[in-house]
């Protein structure tokens, strides 16, 4: 039985690709929208630019979409520019779907809802563990703008909606660099090849504090659940694995997996973005020696994004009680998720197996 016709916006990203797989496996018809759809994808590809209203209208005209899943974003130099750019994308999308038989719209944002925008990162005053009932933090935040657009469209068109707030998403996705799991795997592999210690790049607070993560497959399951469970409609949900850990423990687990020395956490942060200036050359050499599928390290990693996650000077733990109360009981062991990802990336020759 077909559950619905889904349009996954940002289908090549870590969230969108895993969501597409989840929906297809459960009997949905899935259209995947991106500027450059993946050629090997199992969804029906839709090529369009969210900033080009005309191309969107042409690409989406006549598609019987019942569920929209907005899993993409773009970054600009200032938060006000982020607000304008991301708002334009969402408005253009729904304008192009005016005639579609929509019943549900989903928005994926993140924990910056509580932490503050990139521009004021870490300025949020929300109490941990973060709860969905927390008021919005002061200052511009494109997450808030997208929520307001979603609420307005839902009210105007009589749709149900859901908002999901994951934290540090990890998982398998080809060609997506916003993935701390892949970035750490590349960093560990470079350390292994050079015989260098695996030094934690972030703050001592993050090294010692409790934190959590979101596996992309768990996020996909929660998104589908919220889009189909009647009692979960019109709600915002935190989305994390359900366990907590300290990086001082997880770092050693990763080091043991790759067979490298745990370099610990220095007194002063050692950001990857500043230390990996020669990574492009080193990775190209490593890729040639091991027959890796991608020799351009910049297509695999995002040093700055991982630095931002690990360099925070505040605790970051998310509460999942609301999700549990509404009926979503899925959990995921974060250590297993990370090590499984590394194993898969080695098997696919994305990372070398020494």
């Amino acid at each position: 039985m077909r559950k619905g016709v889904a349009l996954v916006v940002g289908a090549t990203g870590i969230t969108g690709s895993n969501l597409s797989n989840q929906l297809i496996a459960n009997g949905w018809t899935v259209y995947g929208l991106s500027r450059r759809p993946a050629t090997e994808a199992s969804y029906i590809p839709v090529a369009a630019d969210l900033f080009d209203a005309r191309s969107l209208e042409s690409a989406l005209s006549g598609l019987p979409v019942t569920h929209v899943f907005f899993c993409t974003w773009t970054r600009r130099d200032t938060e006000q520019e982020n607000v304008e750019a991301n708002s334009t994308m969402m408005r253009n999308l729904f304008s192009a779907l005016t005639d579609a038989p929509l019943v549900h719209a989903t928005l994926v944002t993140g924990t910056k809802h509580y932490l503050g925008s990139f521009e004021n990162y870490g300025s949020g005053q929300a109490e941990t563990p973060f709860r969905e009932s927390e008021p919005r933090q002061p200052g511009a935040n494109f997450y808030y703008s997208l929520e307001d657009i979603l609420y307005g469209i839902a009210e105007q068109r009589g749709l149900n909606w859901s908002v999901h707030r994951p934290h540090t998403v990890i998982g398998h996705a080809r060609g997506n660099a916003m993935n701390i799991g892949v970035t750490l795997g590349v960093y560990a592999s470079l350390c292994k090849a050079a015989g260098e210690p695996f030094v934690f790049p972030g703050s001592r607070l993050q090294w010692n504090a409790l934190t959590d993560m979101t596996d992309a497959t768990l996020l996909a399951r929660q998104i589908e659940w919220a889009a189909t469970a009647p009692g979960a409609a019109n709600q915002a949900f935190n989305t994390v694995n359900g366990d907590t850990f300290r990086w001082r423990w997880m770092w050693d687990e990763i080091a043991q997996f790759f067979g490298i020395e745990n370099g610990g956490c220095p007194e002063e942060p050692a950001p990857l973005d500043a230390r990996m200036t020669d990574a492009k050359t080193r990775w190209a050499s490593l890729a040639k020696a091991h027959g890796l599928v991608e020799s351009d390290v910049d297509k695999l990693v995002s040093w700055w994004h991982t630095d931002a996650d690990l360099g925070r000077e505040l605790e970051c733990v998310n509460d999942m009680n609301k999700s549990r109360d509404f009926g979503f009981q899925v959990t995921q062991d974060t250590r297993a998720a990370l090590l499984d990802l590394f194993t898969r990336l080695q098997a696919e020759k994305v990372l070398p197996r020494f």
Side-chain angles (χ1 to χ4, degrees):
M1 177 182 290
R2 293 284 172 184
K3 290 188 176 180
V5 179
L7 176 65
V8 177
V9 183
T12 58
I14 183 172
T15 298
S17 60
N18 282 277
L19 174 60
S20 297
N21 292 336
Q22 170 75 18
L23 297 176
I24 290 168
N26 286 338
W28 294 65
T29 298
V30 178
Y31 291 91
L33 188 151
S34 60
R35 285 178 298 171
R36 293 177 295 275
T39 55
E40 73 279 6
S42 53
Y43 54 74
I44 304 166
V46 178
D49 187 336
L50 288 168
F51 288 106
D52 187 340
R54 185 171 297 179
S55 82
L56 271 175
E57 291 172 3
S58 175
L60 299 177
S61 178
L63 296 187
V65 175
T66 59
H67 293 69
V68 172
F69 301 93
F70 197 86
C71 308
T72 191
W73 65 287
T74 188
R75 189 182 181 190
R76 297 291 189 263
D77 291 336
T78 68
E79 191 59 21
Q80 188 55 48
E81 290 176 295
N82 284 338
V83 168
E84 293 168 1
N86 287 279
S87 296
T88 295
M89 292 197 300
M90 180 174 270
R91 289 194 181 100
N92 285 347
L93 174 72
F94 282 99
S95 293
L97 292 169
T98 299
D99 297 326
L102 296 179
V103 297
H104 191 98
T106 296
L107 169 64
V108 180
T109 60
T111 306
K112 283 189 289 297
H113 184 95
Y114 309 108
L115 293 173
S117 66
F118 280 121
E119 205 168 77
N120 298 299
Y121 198 54
S123 65
Q125 301 300 311
E127 183 74 21
T128 54
F130 301 137
R131 295 176 175 84
E132 296 88 342
S133 57
E134 283 283 349
R136 290 179 175 181
Q137 303 303 303
N141 191 320
F142 79 85
Y143 286 175
Y144 304 158
S145 301
L146 291 182
E147 283 188 350
D148 290 340
I149 294 170
L150 176 68
Y151 302 154
I153 291 170
E155 182 176 4
Q156 179 185 10
R157 301 185 60 173
L159 311 178
N160 288 330
W161 56 267
S162 61
V163 174
H164 301 265
R165 299 170 185 163
H167 175 218
T168 310
V169 180
I170 55 171
H172 185 269
R174 285 289 183 89
N176 181 268
M178 287 303 186
N179 188 340
I180 192 174
V182 179
T183 299
L184 292 180
V186 169
Y187 172 41
S189 299
L190 288 170
C191 290
K192 176 75 172 182
E196 298 172 350
F198 188 47
V199 176
F200 186 73
S203 69
R204 292 196 66 80
L205 190 149
Q206 285 304 305
W207 178 253
N208 291 309
L210 285 171
T211 191
D212 49 30
M213 276 186 167
T214 305
D215 184 79
T217 58
L218 179 140
L219 174 57
R221 293 176 70 177
Q222 193 201 52
I223 290 172
E224 183 187 21
W225 162 79
T228 54
N234 306 324
Q235 298 292 331
F237 294 105
N238 290 338
T239 317
V240 289
N241 290 340
D243 61 353
T244 57
F245 64 92
R246 302 181 199 275
W247 275 109
R248 68 189 188 205
W249 170 80
M250 186 69 79
W251 205 250
D252 197 58
E253 297 296 309
I254 298 173
Q256 288 184 45
F257 177 90
F258 285 97
I260 53 182
E261 178 189 349
N262 180 354
C265 180
E267 287 298 324
E268 295 296 327
L272 293 170
D273 203 31
R275 291 166 50 214
M276 294 292 111
T277 54
D278 62 347
K280 199 172 184 69
T281 302
R282 292 168 60 191
W283 188 259
S285 176
L286 199 59
K288 183 177 181 180
H290 291 267
L292 303 183
V293 297
E294 181 53 70
S295 60
D296 186 353
V297 74
D298 292 337
K299 293 182 179 180
L300 296 174
V301 306
S302 179
W303 305 123
W304 71 266
H305 193 262
T306 295
D307 286 340
D309 264 348
L310 300 183
R312 289 181 298 226
E313 291 290 348
L314 74 169
E315 183 181 65
C316 192
V317 180
N318 295 267
D319 184 89
M320 283 290 286
N321 281 328
K322 178 180 178 181
S323 191
R324 305 282 181 257
D325 288 345
F326 274 78
F328 184 75
Q329 304 294 331
V330 180
T331 61
Q332 170 65 53
D333 180 85
T334 301
R335 174 186 175 277
L338 271 171
L339 301 191
D340 286 351
L341 174 61
F342 298 147
T343 300
R344 181 172 180 178
L345 293 174
Q346 288 180 339
E348 294 179 351
K349 289 190 172 294
V350 177
L351 298 180
R353 182 183 284 120
F354 295 91

